Amino acid sequence: MIAYIKGRLEYVDPEEGAAVLETGGVGYQILLSGKDLDLLPAAGEEVRLYTYLQVREDAFVLYGFFTREDRKLFGQL
C-alpha cells in the first residue's frame, strides 16, 4: 500500500477527475473527488495526498484524499 504521496502538483485534469504529482522524478496520476480537486493548490505548489491503490485485472488505479479519515472511509466502502 502507498500510504501517501508528497510532491509538486504538475497539473489538474478536471475532465478525468485527476491530478498529477511529481515526486522523485516520477509523475503519479491520482484520481480525486470533486471536493478534493477544489482543495488543490496552484500548479507548482507542494501537496500531500493520502492514497488508496486499487489493483484490478486490467489496471492499477491510485485514488487520493486530503485526510486519512477520508481514505479509510473509501477503503471501507
Side-chain angles (χ1 to χ4, degrees):
M1 171 99 151
I2 300 169
Y4 69 86
I5 296 177
K6 180 179 173 183
R8 186 180 70 232
L9 179 62
E10 285 295 311
Y11 65 89
V12 176
D13 185 345
E15 289 181 19
E16 294 269 332
V20 173
L21 291 186
E22 182 188 339
T23 185
V26 178
Y28 294 92
Q29 181 179 25
I30 304 171
L31 300 182
L32 296 132
S33 70
K35 174 190 76 134
D36 285 339
L37 281 172
D38 290 340
L39 295 174
L40 288 170
E45 301 272 336
E46 191 169 276
V47 66
R48 177 194 316 241
L49 293 173
Y50 295 93
T51 58
Y52 181 90
L53 177 62
Q54 181 185 55
V55 179
R56 301 188 321 220
E57 184 176 312
D58 61 340
F60 285 56
V61 182
L62 196 57
Y63 294 93
F65 309 90
F66 271 92
T67 67
R68 290 181 298 187
E69 292 77 20
D70 285 349
R71 180 186 65 194
K72 184 176 179 181
L73 179 61
F74 181 82
Q76 292 173 344
L77 295 176

